[in-house]
Amino acid sequence: MNLEYRCLKCGSDKYIVKTAVIPEKSPGLKIEIGTYYVKTCLECGYTEFYSAKIVDKEFAKTKKGRRYAKATP
């Protein structure tokens, strides 16, 4: 997943990304802390939340794939 995008609501490419730590309740009444990336359009305020676990995992895959692709002629 790539955090670069155009706003789905207004089409602007101006946005800010912040990190939010939010308590989560999992089945069994266990409370955990979840980290999320919050993308907000600077033109209209449209906001999206992305799980940092998933974004970071996808970024690691893409980064490894690109490194490997560059190493092979």
Side-chain angles (χ1 to χ4, degrees), residues 54-67:
I54 295 172
V55 172
D56 293 343
K57 186 190 303 185
E58 290 296 319
F59 180 74
K61 282 183 193 177
T62 305
K63 191 174 179 181
K64 287 179 184 177
R66 286 183 184 162
R67 193 176 340 167

Side-chain angles (χ1 to χ4, degrees), residues 16-20 22 36-40 47-50:
I16 188 167
V17 178
K18 293 187 176 186
T19 303
I22 301 173
Y36 292 87
Y37 295 123
V38 182
K39 277 192 330 188
T40 303
T47 303
E48 297 176 345
F49 284 78
Y50 294 92

Side-chain angles (χ1 to χ4, degrees), residues 8 10 19 21 25 29 40 44-45 48 51 53 63 66 69 71:
L8 296 175
C10 72
T19 303
V21 178
K25 182 180 173 189
L29 301 176
T40 303
C44 69
E48 297 176 345
S51 171
K53 292 176 192 176
K63 191 174 179 181
R66 286 183 184 162

